[in-house]
């Protein structure tokens, strides 16, 4: 397996990989998540996110992409309760159903941790929905 940065050329396959994740969210919270977004709309959104300067997307591939991770490096300003800091926000991970539970997500996270350390970022933030037992 090879892990590399995602490119806009990967977008059509990433949209397909993301579909099961989107379906899971839409099934759990149909009032919040869409099932019917046209592929072209998702492709444009993914392309825009991949090209954003703060974005960091990774692809795990064998002969073709089998998983991806989306993240963003952010500058978090000081607030009444927290100091200013650079953080990495993990937006999501999608792994093709036929290769789940084989350490692919862990490998993507390890690469993200390496990149965060190289950028001097010591904190990776993420949100996990309560229904998403696989992500815990």
């Amino acid at each position: 397996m090879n892990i590399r940065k995602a490119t806009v050329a990967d977008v059509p396959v990433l949209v397909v990989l993301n579909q099961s994740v989107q379906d899971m969210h839409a099934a759990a919270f149909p009032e919040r998540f869409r099932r019917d977004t046209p592929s072209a709309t998702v492709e444009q959104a993914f392309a825009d996110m991949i090209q954003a300067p703060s974005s960091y997307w990774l692809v795990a591939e064998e002969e073709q992409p089998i998983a991806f991770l989306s993240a963003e490096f952010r500058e978090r300003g000081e607030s009444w309760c927290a100091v200013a800091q650079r953080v990495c926000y993990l937006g999501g991970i999608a792994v093709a159903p036929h290769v789940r539970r084989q350490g692919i997500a862990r490998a993507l996270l390890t690469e993200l941790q390496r990149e965060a350390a190289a950028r001097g970022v010591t904190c990776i933030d993420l949100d996990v929905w309560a229904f998403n037992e696989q992500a815990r």
Side-chain angles (χ1 to χ4, degrees):
M1 176 181 63
N2 180 50
I3 295 177
R4 61 172 173 78
K5 283 191 73 175
T7 68
V8 173
D10 296 315
V11 165
V13 176
L14 302 184
V15 170
V16 172
L17 286 170
N18 187 67
Q19 190 61 56
S20 65
V21 175
Q22 185 66 26
D23 289 346
M24 177 180 61
H25 284 76
F29 287 106
E31 68 280 2
R32 284 194 111 159
F33 295 100
R34 294 179 60 176
R35 279 188 194 269
D36 61 348
T37 306
S39 291
T41 301
V42 181
E43 287 180 10
Q44 185 61 57
F46 278 23
D48 291 346
M49 288 186 280
I50 286 170
Q51 294 177 88
S54 61
S55 177
Y56 191 76
W57 284 47
L58 294 170
V59 169
E61 60 187 358
E62 288 176 343
E63 293 175 18
Q64 66 176 8
I66 54 172
F68 75 92
L69 173 151
S70 64
E72 181 181 16
F73 286 92
R74 301 175 177 174
E75 299 291 331
R76 183 171 292 152
E78 184 176 61
S79 73
W80 68 270
C81 65
V83 298
Q85 61 181 318
R86 297 172 65 208
V87 299
C88 177
Y89 179 76
L90 173 58
I93 299 175
V95 179
H98 71 281
V99 292
R100 289 184 182 155
R101 313 305 294 169
Q102 296 181 28
I104 296 165
R106 184 175 306 280
L108 287 165
L109 285 168
T110 298
E111 179 58 26
L112 180 62
Q113 289 172 318
R114 187 205 59 73
E115 180 66 21
R119 294 181 185 215
V121 173
T122 59
C123 183
I124 297 176
D125 292 344
L126 72 146
D127 300 312
V128 177
W129 291 89
F131 69 84
N132 192 350
E133 293 294 326
Q134 294 177 341
R136 292 172 176 245

